[in-house]
Amino acid sequence: MESISIGLLGLGTVGSGVVQIIEKHQDKLMHQVGCPVVVKKVLVKNLDKERAVKVDRNMLTANPDDILNDNDIDVVIEVMGGIEDTRDHLKKALNNGKHVVTANKDLMAVYGPELLSAASQNGCDLFYEASVAGGIPILRGLVDGLASDRITKMMGIVNGTTNFILTKMSKQGSAYEEVLKEAQDLGYAESDPTADVEGLDAARKMAILSTLGFSMNIDLDDVKVKGITEITEEDLQYGKQLGYTMKLIGIAHREGEKVEVSVQPTLLAESHPLASVQDEYNAVYVYGEAVGETMFYGPGAGSLPTATAVVSDLVGVMKNMRLGVNGKSAVTPQYEKKLKDADEIYAKYFLRLHVKDEVGTFANITSIFSDHHVSFEKILQLPLKEKGLAEIVLVTHQASLQDYEDILVNLRDLPAVQNIKSSYRVEGSARV
Amino acid sequence: MESISIGLLGLGTVGSGVVQIIEKHQDKLMHQVGCPVVVKKVLVKNLDKERAVKVDRNMLTANPDDILNDNDIDVVIEVMGGIEDTRDHLKKALNNGKHVVTANKDLMAVYGPELLSAASQNGCDLFYEASVAGGIPILRGLVDGLASDRITKMMGIVNGTTNFILTKMSKQGSAYEEVLKEAQDLGYAESDPTADVEGLDAARKMAILSTLGFSMNIDLDDVKVKGITEITEEDLQYGKQLGYTMKLIGIAHREGEKVEVSVQPTLLAESHPLASVQDEYNAVYVYGEAVGETMFYGPGAGSLPTATAVVSDLVGVMKNMRLGVNGKSAVTPQYEKKLKDADEIYAKYFLRLHVKDEVGTFANITSIFSDHHVSFEKILQLPLKEKGLAEIVLVTHQASLQDYEDILVNLRDLPAVQNIKSSYRVEGSARV
């Protein structure tokens, strides 16, 4: 090959990072793939906008077909975002025999299997390492490193914004709203933070991770999601007191042939490797039957880390081109999807209640748990300032989600229970 | 291919694990490589010894040539250990066109470049993921994940025995000798623990890691080594008080074209991602210019984790066989080796002294530091039980190793300094 030509869809911060890295590491790329790597054309919305990176005006185009129909372009790198149009572009690129590298988790969480299948049919590579946890090579870790193992559990801190917010809340003892504003001012949270704080972003990444790790087509709709907007300082304080750290955790758990995939605020035992992941950092904890516990840690976002992951994928594509083996590395899901029912999902739970401080209240409450065969690991009861009320904080032993939800319904019906203040999943010791 | 035949050198705990995993995951391996995978022959010393795994007596041999000269054997897996004889076996295997997977860090640290070159000349793969940090896919992480970045720093907790000992010393407040005995009783330390506790095992792994990460032939002799045998409870206590955790850390640091590779007990800021790596676990922290901080965490040893890494390498070899691209993935070192001199290695240091409690002592000591333009981050002075003596504990700002060693010489010459009790490198904040 004389050179490898790239078409870039999008020139925001990640796109600019990709251009910069390809320029800066040209020698290293040459050393690895044996020929120059050239960005030939770049799709942008506005041809005249000022850019963070110097790009020849003639390389810019507002028409995607200038890239998708250009026979000289070998690889399309997609960093424009969006779902429906972007899917059309990438299908066209693949049908025209171009390899694709994408950083687009929204797209891959929805159309991943369809696009991978199009890639495979056209003998093209479709790599998407940057779509999950930006700078962490977790997808390669799953595919290559654990190729001979059976992954039974993945737990991820896969959203930097929420981890930043929870770390700050925990360290400063500040309220959610206050820290969110701080995060927005610092650029760690967007002005509309919904996708992050409601857990949707994390859910997309867990759909991608579990599809790959369990070799099963997990859709976004299969992921149960709860965000962090209702977490209070009191919850964090009680958590600390009991030896837990609050994190937004994506959990993908396989037992036998059935899986559970969910995202929710979780009280994590402080001894767990994920508990020390702070600020905007991400980490994915993987449990394999043979290897045991492993964890991959790094920046989850940021233009340079994400761009690095994109260029790493590009190197993978180019090595395959040199070897003539493109389109063969996609791993097709091997198993039929089987989701656990609520009575098959087991976890420990933290529950905080306000109750009337009357004779028999405590007995009534605990008997609801024992009726469902759920016992306690920890119980605190404290008087409240408000007269005649008490606060009860408890952590259960393992309970099925079905039983736990039934217990919540029964508790709400109990006249002595004034308010269920909060309820979180608890993930236990580091040893799974 | 009808099937892929394996010759196994060694049937200890790792070898038994490999046999078990290949049996247990036969379906999965079939799915990935498209044909059965069969262990054909196994080299053992004693044909009649009782084994942890059931292996047909006819498969065992005490003669390596039964494997190395067998034309049907495609891949040789080496888990027998040892250096000189093993090197001869593997060179023979490679010269006979067999691919090689090895878990042998001792061998790779000494003969790695020679064996990789033999592999390349014969169009064979030589994979050695299991040789560094058993269950952690760190070598793939370095080669693939960070292919487009420039790695400037690697820090590793790459020896499980010493991390187990230091964790226990720190948690229990016990003495080194006591915890070593406990570790030996539990099987975490060998009866002759020298290679572990003196840092040699970690040095071998750092030689392998830095050769790959810096693309430079780093020999074992290039790695400066200090072990953990002289660490006292007092040092751990003072460390804690100042916000540090004691770890045996391998450091590989590149600035410009020059590198430093060393292994030594290090006081690590508690906020550093490596500081929370406990017990027998390993982790490698990698800093890349573009990606920033990443960390790979997992079990560093153990028969199943190591066997898993071996079988992952085997899958890599077999995929390459299917694609017909063996022998092309070895990355030859790109740069000439340039080691930093002592006046180019900068770090912070912790120093604990016993001094005579006399007028002017403190001034004399601090002026030695200022003569070498080294200033302090933290200073503690405390009276000692022994009359007329005081203990001084200090942490310097960044100083060159040359300056620091000169300071130690000057301090020893000072009549008021009774004893230099301990001295450790300090690694600062998580942000490098």
Side-chain angles (χ1 to χ4, degrees):
Chain A
M1 276 172 286
E2 279 179 26
S3 74
I4 291 175
S5 289
I6 312 293
L8 189 63
L9 307 183
L11 192 60
T13 55
V14 176
S16 305
V18 169
V19 172
Q20 280 170 346
I21 291 177
I22 290 176
E23 278 175 11
K24 189 173 171 192
H25 290 285
Q26 190 61 231
D27 286 354
K28 197 166 170 178
L29 293 171
M30 278 276 287
H31 179 77
Q32 290 183 81
V33 301
C35 69
V37 182
V38 182
V39 177
K40 192 180 173 200
K41 275 181 204 156
V42 183
L43 177 70
V44 294
K45 272 190 207 145
N46 178 350
L47 294 173
D48 299 311
K49 193 174 153 187
E50 199 72 33
R51 303 284 166 185
V53 68
K54 231 178 116 182
V55 174
D56 187 342
R57 180 71 162 70
N58 296 324
M59 281 166 56
L60 301 182
T61 173
N63 179 4
D65 285 338
D66 285 348
I67 290 173
L68 306 175
N69 291 336
D70 183 336
N71 287 330
D72 289 343
I73 287 180
D74 306 290
V75 186
V76 169
I77 294 179
E78 186 272 302
V79 287
M80 62 189 277
I83 300 187
E84 297 301 333
D85 285 354
T86 314
R87 165 202 178 216
D88 295 342
H89 294 344
L90 296 192
K91 283 198 84 165
K92 196 167 188 179
L94 292 166
N95 289 332
N96 287 345
K98 301 182 193 320
H99 310 294
V100 169
V101 174
T102 176
N104 192 329
K105 63 187 166 290
D106 307 13
L107 178 73
M108 288 306 292
V110 179
Y111 292 119
E114 180 187 324
L115 288 168
L116 284 165
S117 151
S120 177
Q121 280 161 27
N122 288 290
C124 291
D125 285 334
L126 167 58
F127 290 163
Y128 54 102
E129 182 67 72
S131 68
V132 180
I136 310 177
I138 176 64
L139 301 188
R140 280 193 202 88
L142 290 180
V143 172
D144 293 340
L146 307 171
S148 56
D149 200 357
R150 186 170 186 270
I151 295 167
T152 55
K153 193 168 190 177
M154 290 177 280
M155 288 170 64
I157 294 176
V158 287
N159 178 272
T161 304
T162 48
N163 203 48
F164 178 87
I165 292 173
L166 292 175
T167 304
K168 284 275 178 271
M169 283 177 72
S170 173
K171 279 189 183 163
Q172 302 172 352
S174 326
Y176 167 74
E177 294 296 344
E178 193 181 317
V179 178
L180 172 61
K181 203 186 160 304
E182 195 184 329
Q184 285 170 324
D185 292 344
L186 289 169
Y188 286 120
E190 303 193 31
S191 54
D192 176 3
T194 316
D196 290 320
V197 300
E198 295 296 356
L200 182 59
D201 176 82
R204 287 176 177 140
K205 292 167 182 167
M206 291 310 296
I208 297 173
L209 278 178
S210 53
T211 294
L212 195 60
F214 296 155
S215 199
M216 207 180 269
N217 266 337
I218 304 293
D219 298 318
L220 188 53
D221 291 343
D222 300 325
V223 186
K224 290 204 183 86
V225 189
K226 194 184 163 196
I228 66 163
T229 55
E230 290 164 21
I231 297 174
T232 66
E233 301 121 280
E234 287 82 6
D235 296 328
L236 292 182
Q237 281 308 319
Y238 277 119
K240 258 186 208 170
Q241 208 174 320
L242 298 167
Y244 300 107
T245 307
M246 183 77 79
K247 297 286 179 192
L248 182 68
I249 299 284
I251 292 181
H253 194 192
R254 168 157 72 175
E255 283 172 304
E257 297 182 328
K258 287 190 155 188
V259 304
E260 171 220 354
V261 188
S262 61
V263 169
Q264 67 260 298
T266 301
L267 286 166
L268 203 60
E270 273 162 12
S271 58
H272 196 284
L274 285 173
S276 53
V277 176
Q278 307 221 328
D279 302 323
E280 75 279 17
Y281 279 85
N282 283 17
V284 180
Y285 165 98
V286 179
Y287 191 89
E289 280 180 355
V291 80
E293 298 185 282
T294 57
M295 186 175 82
F296 300 77
Y297 168 98
S303 57
L304 275 181
T306 306
T308 305
V310 167
V311 181
S312 290
D313 272 353
L314 174 64
V315 170
V317 170
M318 295 189 299
K319 281 187 176 170
N320 283 350
M321 286 172 71
R322 194 185 57 176
L323 301 173
V325 296
N326 299 99
K328 295 184 181 167
S329 50
V331 182
T332 48
Q334 194 180 356
Y335 304 108
E336 191 193 338
K337 176 168 72 186
K338 287 186 185 162
L339 299 174
K340 287 191 200 178
D341 295 321
D343 60 354
E344 296 169 307
I345 297 173
Y346 275 78
K348 298 192 285 181
Y349 294 93
F350 166 103
L351 184 64
R352 185 159 68 90
L353 307 166
H354 283 185
V355 302
K356 290 182 190 148
D357 195 2
E358 300 168 345
V359 174
T361 298
F362 200 80
N364 287 338
I365 289 172
T366 49
S367 73
I368 288 177
F369 283 84
S370 51
D371 288 350
H372 290 88
H373 310 288
V374 174
S375 57
F376 304 108
E377 189 177 289
K378 286 163 186 164
I379 301 180
L380 297 177
Q381 177 167 346
L382 302 143
L384 278 173
K385 275 181 199 158
E386 206 178 325
K387 224 184 147 183
L389 286 186
E391 183 158 64
I392 293 180
V393 173
L394 51 86
V395 177
T396 69
H397 281 297
Q398 295 283 337
S400 80
L401 180 59
Q402 184 65 63
D403 277 330
Y404 185 67
E405 284 175 348
D406 290 346
I407 287 170
L408 291 182
V409 169
N410 292 352
L411 286 174
R412 279 195 193 94
D413 287 345
L414 210 64
V417 173
Q418 205 217 23
N419 203 341
I420 295 184
K421 298 296 286 184
S422 56
S423 165
Y424 300 104
R425 181 161 171 160
V426 171
E427 282 291 317
S429 74
R431 307 278 169 245
V432 177
Chain B
M1 275 171 287
E2 279 179 28
S3 74
I4 291 175
S5 290
I6 313 293
L8 190 62
L9 308 183
L11 192 59
T13 54
V14 176
S16 304
V18 169
V19 172
Q20 279 170 347
I21 291 177
I22 291 176
E23 277 175 13
K24 188 172 172 194
H25 290 286
Q26 190 61 233
D27 286 355
K28 198 167 171 179
L29 293 171
M30 278 277 288
H31 179 76
Q32 290 184 81
V33 301
C35 68
V37 182
V38 182
V39 178
K40 193 181 172 200
K41 274 180 204 158
V42 183
L43 176 69
V44 294
K45 272 190 207 145
N46 178 349
L47 295 172
D48 299 311
K49 193 175 155 187
E50 198 73 31
R51 305 281 165 185
V53 67
K54 230 178 119 181
V55 173
D56 188 341
R57 181 68 164 71
N58 296 325
M59 281 167 56
L60 301 182
T61 173
N63 179 4
D65 285 338
D66 285 349
I67 290 174
L68 306 175
N69 291 335
D70 183 337
N71 288 329
D72 289 344
I73 287 180
D74 306 291
V75 186
V76 169
I77 294 180
E78 186 271 304
V79 288
M80 61 189 276
I83 300 187
E84 298 301 333
D85 285 354
T86 314
R87 166 201 178 216
D88 295 341
H89 294 344
L90 296 193
K91 283 198 84 166
K92 196 166 188 179
L94 292 167
N95 289 333
N96 287 344
K98 299 182 192 320
H99 310 294
V100 169
V101 174
T102 175
N104 191 330
K105 64 188 165 290
D106 306 12
L107 177 73
M108 288 306 292
V110 178
Y111 292 118
E114 179 187 324
L115 288 168
L116 284 165
S117 151
S120 179
Q121 281 162 26
N122 288 290
C124 290
D125 285 334
L126 166 59
F127 290 163
Y128 53 102
E129 183 67 73
S131 69
V132 181
I136 311 177
I138 177 64
L139 301 187
R140 280 192 202 88
L142 290 180
V143 172
D144 294 340
L146 306 171
S148 57
D149 200 356
R150 185 170 187 272
I151 294 167
T152 56
K153 193 168 189 176
M154 291 177 279
M155 288 168 65
I157 294 175
V158 287
N159 179 272
T161 304
T162 48
N163 203 48
F164 179 87
I165 292 173
L166 292 175
T167 303
K168 284 277 177 270
M169 282 177 72
S170 173
K171 279 189 183 162
Q172 301 173 353
S174 326
Y176 167 74
E177 294 296 347
E178 193 181 317
V179 178
L180 172 62
K181 201 183 162 305
E182 196 184 329
Q184 285 170 324
D185 291 345
L186 289 168
Y188 285 120
E190 303 193 31
S191 55
D192 176 3
T194 315
D196 291 319
V197 301
E198 294 297 355
L200 181 60
D201 176 81
R204 287 176 176 140
K205 292 166 182 167
M206 291 310 295
I208 297 173
L209 279 178
S210 53
T211 294
L212 195 61
F214 296 154
S215 200
M216 207 180 269
N217 265 337
I218 305 293
D219 298 318
L220 187 53
D221 290 343
D222 300 326
V223 186
K224 290 202 183 88
V225 189
K226 194 183 162 196
I228 66 163
T229 55
E230 289 165 21
I231 298 174
T232 65
E233 301 121 279
E234 287 82 7
D235 296 328
L236 293 182
Q237 281 308 319
Y238 276 119
K240 257 187 208 168
Q241 207 174 321
L242 297 167
Y244 300 107
T245 306
M246 183 75 80
K247 296 285 181 193
L248 182 69
I249 299 285
I251 292 181
H253 194 192
R254 169 158 72 175
E255 283 173 303
E257 296 182 328
K258 288 189 154 188
V259 305
E260 171 220 354
V261 187
S262 61
V263 170
Q264 67 259 300
T266 301
L267 285 165
L268 204 61
E270 273 162 11
S271 57
H272 195 285
L274 285 174
S276 52
V277 176
Q278 308 221 327
D279 301 324
E280 75 280 17
Y281 279 85
N282 282 17
V284 180
Y285 165 97
V286 179
Y287 191 90
E289 280 180 356
V291 79
E293 298 185 281
T294 56
M295 187 175 82
F296 300 77
Y297 167 99
S303 58
L304 275 180
T306 306
T308 306
V310 166
V311 181
S312 289
D313 273 352
L314 173 64
V315 170
V317 170
M318 296 188 299
K319 281 187 176 171
N320 284 350
M321 286 172 71
R322 193 185 58 175
L323 301 172
V325 296
N326 299 98
K328 295 185 180 166
S329 51
V331 182
T332 49
Q334 195 179 356
Y335 304 109
E336 191 194 338
K337 175 168 73 186
K338 289 187 185 161
L339 299 174
K340 287 193 201 177
D341 296 319
D343 61 354
E344 297 169 308
I345 297 172
Y346 276 77
K348 299 192 284 182
Y349 294 94
F350 166 102
L351 184 64
R352 185 160 69 91
L353 307 166
H354 283 185
V355 302
K356 290 181 190 147
D357 195 1
E358 300 168 344
V359 175
T361 298
F362 201 79
N364 287 337
I365 289 171
T366 50
S367 72
I368 288 177
F369 283 84
S370 50
D371 288 349
H372 290 88
H373 310 287
V374 174
S375 57
F376 304 107
E377 190 177 290
K378 285 163 187 163
I379 301 181
L380 297 177
Q381 177 168 347
L382 302 144
L384 279 174
K385 274 182 201 156
E386 206 179 326
K387 224 185 149 185
L389 286 186
E391 184 157 63
I392 293 179
V393 173
L394 51 85
V395 177
T396 70
H397 281 299
Q398 295 283 337
S400 79
L401 181 58
Q402 184 65 62
D403 277 331
Y404 184 67
E405 283 176 347
D406 290 346
I407 287 170
L408 291 182
V409 169
N410 292 351
L411 285 174
R412 278 196 193 94
D413 288 345
L414 210 64
V417 173
Q418 205 219 22
N419 203 338
I420 296 184
K421 298 296 285 184
S422 56
S423 165
Y424 301 103
R425 183 161 169 159
V426 171
E427 283 291 316
S429 73
R431 305 282 167 242
V432 178

